[in-house]
Amino acid sequence: MTAALTVDHLTKSFGGRKAVDDVSFTLPEGAFLSVFGPNGAGKTTLLRMLATLSRPTEGTIEVGGISLKEEPDRARESIGLISHNPMLYPDLTAEENLLLYAKLYGVENPQKRVIELLDAVGLKHRRLDRVRTFSRGMTQRTSIARALINDPSLVLLDEPYSGLDPHAIEIFDELIESVRENRTFVMVSHDLDKGLALASHVLVLAKGRVVAFAEKGDLADDEFRALYRSTVGLGVA
């Protein structure tokens, strides 16, 4: 069976500094990988390379067997990105934003797809309102719809809970759970509790290198927290 995501000896250098240093891991279809580490560990740089927003200095990435280096356009068809930056145009309506992305991806019957997704995130009734009038939680829900417009098999999440209130977090969790089937997720997070609750696999980065990678079932939460403290040097609440 082809792996959902294969990262092999991935390195990203900026001048003489390696932000990501020889990172390798493989995820099966349906996995949820939570990536932890202190500021400057290379988490966001790793995610940007997975999202095809940054090119590796060395190493390879394959999504469903498709090389991001050899076939980047084809690979992007299988990738969705959700982050604290919603990547929406504030002066366009929710519907206009999603239609724009649907057409960029060549989605068949884009109007139908847009309405389906806005309904799924509970915003069909606000589809004609400009995004700048939305709350942070509503904007993030629209961002989820945007990320799913191309029905991606790999969904990347970069600190998606940043700035959300507890109610918005609850809604966000329910939305992620509703779309988990047959998708693979990679989430960068500083929140150990949230990351561990969602994860099937965990990865810890420090100074750009992997210091831990395991299936969650192979490591009890307490063991993982102790490993995190000892390898990264950060306390946990």
Side-chain angles (χ1 to χ4, degrees):
M1 181 181 294
T2 301
L5 176 64
T6 303
V7 174
D8 189 35
H9 297 291
L10 198 66
T11 297
K12 179 66 175 183
S13 298
F14 296 98
R17 184 179 69 87
K18 291 183 178 180
V20 172
D21 187 2
D22 197 30
V23 169
S24 297
F25 62 87
T26 300
L27 293 178
E29 182 180 310
F32 195 115
L33 174 67
S34 290
V35 182
F36 302 105
N39 290 333
K43 304 184 303 298
T44 296
T45 301
L46 171 62
L47 208 70
R48 285 181 58 82
M49 288 189 284
L50 297 181
T52 74
L53 297 176
S54 180
R55 290 185 179 182
T57 305
E58 300 176 27
T60 60
I61 304 168
E62 291 186 357
V63 176
I66 302 170
S67 168
L68 267 64
K69 180 179 180 181
E70 302 297 332
E71 300 181 271
D73 291 338
R74 185 180 170 206
R76 287 188 193 102
E77 294 175 1
S78 301
I79 300 170
L81 174 64
I82 302 170
S83 74
H84 49 276
N85 178 354
M87 291 180 281
L88 300 168
Y89 294 93
D91 288 325
L92 296 182
T93 67
E95 183 178 279
E96 288 170 338
N97 268 284
L98 297 190
L99 279 172
L100 173 62
Y101 280 98
K103 291 173 181 177
L104 287 173
Y105 277 108
V107 173
E108 292 185 15
N109 200 342
Q111 184 71 38
K112 180 174 182 289
R113 178 66 173 160
V114 166
I115 297 301
E116 287 175 349
L117 285 171
L118 286 173
D119 190 33
V121 300
L123 289 172
K124 183 179 177 181
H125 66 295
R126 297 292 302 271
R127 64 189 180 88
L128 300 181
D129 292 344
R130 298 184 192 278
V131 168
R132 60 178 165 78
T133 68
F134 287 1
S135 67
R136 170 65 178 155
M138 291 170 62
T139 301
Q140 192 70 318
R141 281 189 274 160
T142 309
S143 179
I144 295 172
R146 173 200 51 74
L148 298 177
I149 198 76
N150 56 323
D151 194 23
S153 59
L154 174 65
V155 180
L156 308 173
L157 303 101
D158 185 10
E159 297 286 358
Y161 295 95
S162 176
L164 296 186
D165 61 41
H167 180 60
I169 288 173
E170 183 179 352
I171 293 173
F172 186 85
D173 284 343
E174 291 174 355
L175 288 169
I176 293 300
E177 187 61 35
S178 72
V179 299
R180 278 190 69 161
E181 188 175 0
N182 299 322
R183 299 185 204 275
T184 303
F185 289 78
V186 177
M187 181 175 76
V188 164
S189 179
H190 283 101
D191 188 333
L192 283 182
D193 290 334
K194 182 63 67 178
L196 288 173
L198 290 169
S200 65
H201 294 68
V202 291
L203 176 86
V204 179
L205 287 177
K207 296 182 179 179
R209 297 187 65 86
V210 175
V211 293
F213 174 70
E215 289 191 46
K216 194 171 92 168
D218 294 338
L219 200 64
D221 283 5
D222 288 346
E223 292 177 306
F224 176 79
R225 290 172 188 276
L227 175 65
Y228 183 84
R229 286 195 299 268
S230 64
T231 57
V232 179
L234 292 180
V236 295

